[in-house]
């Protein structure tokens, strides 16, 4: 596991960690619900049941979190085709039995199906950002930028030349942030037939090229002046 790039010694006290500590799990559910609850309501319409489903379905080791002491400020799920970042933030298996007591037979099948259908299989050459969520009280602190900076560092360490993410068409502010950070639009999907059911009608795929660090072992020596 990599050491966080934002250690405790920073003046603002914000730390980026790999994996979700158990004591932050409930906060993570609230942050995720605030950011993506509308997107997930097609799978689980009731907010209370949706949050209970998320508490069980989290794959806590496959994310980055930003925290200040005991307070969760934001998080990002990651997926790759290799370890240790494999599976995404929400990685419920196809097995719906763990959720049937919560949602009933049909509800559990529908929720797991909807969650898995929304799962994006990363390509071999990329780290896929499976959702970024920032606590409302932490907005304006650059949390999203810090999480993406760390994601880029992870991709560089793993030899992945791209970071990819998707943003829904109802979130233009997020798309504008990603563009400022160097992401470029690679694909635009439209599914207006789902707009009333899902709350959004399109998806924009964006990609950030990752520049590898120079190999100091092979770099040419600097010319003496």
């Amino acid at each position: 596991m990599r050491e966080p790039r934002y250690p405790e010694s920073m003046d603002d006290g914000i730390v980026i960690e790999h994996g979700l500590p158990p004591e932050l799990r409930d906060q993570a559910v609230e942050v995720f619900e605030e950011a993506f609850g509308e997107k997930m309501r097609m799978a689980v319409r009731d907010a209370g049941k949706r949050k209970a489903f998320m508490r069980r379905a989290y794959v806590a080791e496959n994310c980055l979190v930003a925290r200040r002491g005991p307070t969760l400020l934001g998080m990002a799920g990651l997926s790759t085709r290799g370890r240790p970042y494999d599976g995404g933030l929400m990685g419920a298996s196809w097995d719906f039995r763990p959720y049937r007591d919560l949602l009933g037979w049909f509800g559990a099948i529908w929720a797991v199906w909807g969650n898995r259908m929304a799962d994006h299989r990363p390509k071999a050459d990329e780290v896929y950002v499976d959702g970024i969520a920032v606590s409302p009280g932490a907005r304006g602190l650059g949390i999203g930028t810090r999480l993406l900076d760390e994601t880029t560092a992870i991709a560089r360490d793993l030899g992945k030349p791209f970071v990819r993410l998707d943003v829904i068409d109802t979130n233009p502010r997020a798309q504008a942030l990603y563009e400022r950070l160097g992401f470029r639009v690679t694909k635009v999907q439209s599914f207006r037939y789902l707009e009333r059911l899902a709350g959004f009608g399109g998806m924009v795929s964006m990609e950030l090229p990752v520049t590898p660090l120079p190999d100091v072992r092979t770099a040419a020596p600097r010319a003496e002046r």
Side-chain angles (χ1 to χ4, degrees):
M1 181 178 292
R2 301 177 69 255
E3 290 295 321
R5 295 173 63 228
Y6 297 97
E8 291 281 4
S9 58
M10 282 197 68
D11 291 341
D12 59 13
I14 296 174
V15 179
I16 304 296
E17 295 180 345
H18 297 188
L20 178 67
E23 68 272 16
L24 297 183
R25 195 177 188 89
D26 287 345
Q27 291 184 56
V29 168
E30 295 297 331
V31 170
F32 195 83
E33 166 67 19
E34 197 279 333
F36 300 112
E38 284 300 301
K39 185 177 177 181
M40 290 186 63
R41 69 187 176 96
M42 184 173 67
V44 184
R45 297 194 67 84
D46 180 83
K49 291 182 178 180
R50 189 164 59 234
K51 289 191 282 188
F53 172 75
M54 284 192 283
R55 286 188 183 92
R56 297 190 191 181
Y58 266 133
V59 179
E61 66 271 22
N62 298 320
C63 63
L64 299 174
V65 299
R67 67 184 296 175
R68 180 186 280 145
T71 302
L72 178 69
L73 304 177
M75 57 188 180
L78 303 180
S79 293
T80 71
R81 283 194 183 178
R83 298 291 179 184
Y85 305 99
D86 185 27
L89 184 63
M90 293 292 293
S93 71
W94 283 109
D95 185 4
F96 59 85
R97 289 172 295 180
Y99 316 105
R100 63 187 177 185
D101 66 313
L102 174 67
L103 303 172
W105 287 93
F106 177 77
I109 294 170
W110 181 254
V112 170
W113 177 84
N115 185 62
R116 295 299 292 170
M117 288 299 98
D119 191 24
H120 300 268
R121 296 291 88 189
K123 301 174 184 177
D125 63 350
E126 69 185 17
V127 172
Y128 180 75
V129 182
D130 203 2
I132 295 181
V134 177
S135 171
R139 288 170 188 166
L141 300 178
I143 300 300
T145 300
R146 294 187 186 195
L147 290 168
L148 286 170
D149 283 349
E150 181 67 4
T151 301
T152 303
I154 289 170
R156 187 176 290 116
D157 287 351
L158 295 176
K160 307 288 186 181
F162 297 101
V163 172
R164 183 170 65 90
L165 52 78
D166 293 316
V167 58
I168 57 177
D169 60 354
T170 56
N171 196 356
R173 290 182 62 185
Q175 182 175 340
L177 168 65
Y178 302 145
E179 289 174 343
R180 288 198 300 272
L181 294 177
F183 282 82
R184 61 194 183 197
V185 175
T186 58
K187 185 179 181 180
V188 178
Q189 301 176 74
S190 179
F191 24 83
R192 295 297 173 188
Y193 59 92
L194 288 177
E195 189 166 8
R196 291 186 63 183
L197 185 61
F200 59 97
M203 188 82 73
V204 179
S205 294
M206 306 185 74
E207 186 177 84
L208 175 70
V210 176
T211 303
L213 293 174
D215 189 339
V216 297
R217 296 168 300 178
T218 59
R222 295 176 63 185
E224 293 186 7
R225 299 191 178 196

